[in-house]
Amino acid sequence: MHLVLQAAAKTDEVLKAKVAKREEEARKKLEEEGTSLEEQVRRIKDIEAIESDSFVPQAFKSSRDDTKVVAAQKKQESESAPSQDYSLPMSIVYDDSDTLAHPSLFMDKETAEDLWLSRLNSLRQERLMGSPVA
């Protein structure tokens, strides 16, 4: 019984050492990949400027409208010049039409039922053919 307790204590120490080592490596990675010295200095200066007496608050202006313009320009460019190169998107493009609800909520009841029935039939056919239904 005493030997079992000793073995358990040794494995516990080994596990704790491994966890400490992993935490140390993760902390070092964060320090390396994290904020650089320039960013830290800029942040400190910004905080000091905000806390100073000469700071004047200004109205916040959102750049949301600017992103719509950029997204529209990107869409026009992609539609006008079809290319053979297919690549994954490197940025998020927002397709915001300033509506509160999805357009499918304003669909006719009969059209919605037809779409649902066709979807249900296709799911049943997939299931019958043996493919898993998500």
Side-chain angles (χ1 to χ4, degrees):
M1 185 69 151
H2 184 65
L3 293 173
V4 171
L5 290 176
Q6 285 179 347
K10 286 181 182 179
T11 56
D12 189 41
E13 290 174 8
V14 170
L15 287 175
K16 285 181 182 179
K18 286 182 181 179
V19 169
K21 185 178 179 182
R22 286 183 190 158
E23 289 175 354
E24 181 74 22
E25 290 174 357
R27 189 176 52 80
K28 285 182 181 178
K29 276 187 180 180
L30 284 176
E31 288 175 0
E32 291 173 1
E33 295 175 358
T35 58
S36 67
L37 186 60
E38 294 173 2
E39 292 174 352
Q40 291 175 358
V41 169
R42 183 176 38 87
R43 183 175 183 269
I44 290 171
K45 285 183 180 179
D46 290 342
I47 291 172
E48 288 174 354
I50 290 171
E51 292 175 349
S52 70
D53 295 333
S54 63
F55 178 74
V56 178
Q58 297 175 348
F60 176 75
K61 182 181 177 193
S62 174
S63 62
R64 181 173 184 236
D65 296 331
D66 296 338
T67 58
K68 286 183 186 178
V69 173
V70 171
Q73 290 173 352
K74 285 183 180 178
K75 284 183 183 178
Q76 290 174 354
E77 290 173 3
S78 65
E79 290 173 0
S80 64
S83 65
Q84 297 296 331
D85 297 331
Y86 295 104
S87 62
L88 296 174
M90 299 306 286
S91 63
I92 297 173
V93 178
Y94 294 100
D95 186 21
D96 190 13
S97 60
D98 288 333
T99 58
L100 295 176
H102 195 271
S104 65
L105 293 175
F106 301 109
M107 192 180 298
D108 291 336
K109 185 177 181 182
E110 295 154 356
T111 309
E113 284 181 3
D114 291 339
L115 287 172
W116 169 247
L117 287 175
S118 65
R119 170 84 173 132
L120 186 61
N121 283 333
S122 66
L123 289 174
R124 286 180 176 169
Q125 288 297 323
E126 288 179 16
R127 185 67 178 175
L128 287 174
M129 299 303 276
S131 64
V133 177

